[in-house]
Amino acid sequence: MIQFFIEDVDFKVPQSRKTKSWLQSIIKAEGFSLNQLNYIFCSDEYLLNVNRQYLDHDFYTDIITFDNSEEEAVVEGDIFISIDRVKDNAQELNKPFEEELRRVLAHGILHLVGYDDKEDEQEQEMRAKEDFYLIVS
């Protein structure tokens, strides 16, 4: 089950049913099954507090992913997304907001299925996967 939650921002997920179906298709395509996935949409300040409290990081970010799965090949987690950051990134990259939002939604799932982006090569692989899923959406 995929659920969307809103914290301290005025936001509604565009085409939420279709978006959930698309997210489930990514999980399935990656060879995983879905247990529970929560997306929490929030402000920069909200996510900064999460970043400080749980990761000991003192900087803004667009997404934080917490993997709660206890079984292999099962997706279960919480994904926090700053709508403020997504809007800013979309403007900076000269992309539509919805495209950048979908990229970040997919990015969180890719982390949960084992992709990382800490090193350049990993980041390139992650971007290629995001691009692929944006095309097939």
Side-chain angles (χ1 to χ4, degrees), residues 1 25 42 46 55 66 68 73 80:
M1 173 190 301
S25 73
C42 57
Y46 187 99
L55 302 176
F66 293 101
N68 303 328
F80 290 80

Side-chain angles (χ1 to χ4, degrees), residues 115-116 120-130:
Y115 291 90
D116 207 346
D120 288 346
E121 194 174 300
Q122 294 171 326
E123 187 175 353
Q124 287 174 349
E125 184 180 15
M126 178 83 88
R127 290 287 170 257
K129 277 286 185 178
E130 291 168 6

Side-chain angles (χ1 to χ4, degrees), residues 18-71:
K18 187 177 176 185
T19 299
K20 287 178 183 181
S21 177
W22 173 68
L23 294 168
Q24 288 175 345
S25 73
I26 295 172
I27 292 166
K28 188 175 181 181
E30 290 294 327
F32 281 66
S33 63
L34 173 64
N35 185 7
Q36 177 72 38
L37 183 55
N38 301 312
Y39 282 93
I40 302 94
F41 300 97
C42 57
S43 68
D44 268 350
E45 293 307 316
Y46 187 99
L47 196 52
L48 177 61
N49 288 330
V50 170
N51 213 3
R52 287 175 177 155
Q53 184 175 354
Y54 295 100
L55 302 176
D56 235 4
H57 296 160
D58 192 19
F59 53 83
Y60 292 106
T61 185
D62 53 356
I63 183 170
I64 296 176
T65 304
F66 293 101
D67 187 347
N68 303 328
S69 66
E70 295 180 5
E71 296 176 58

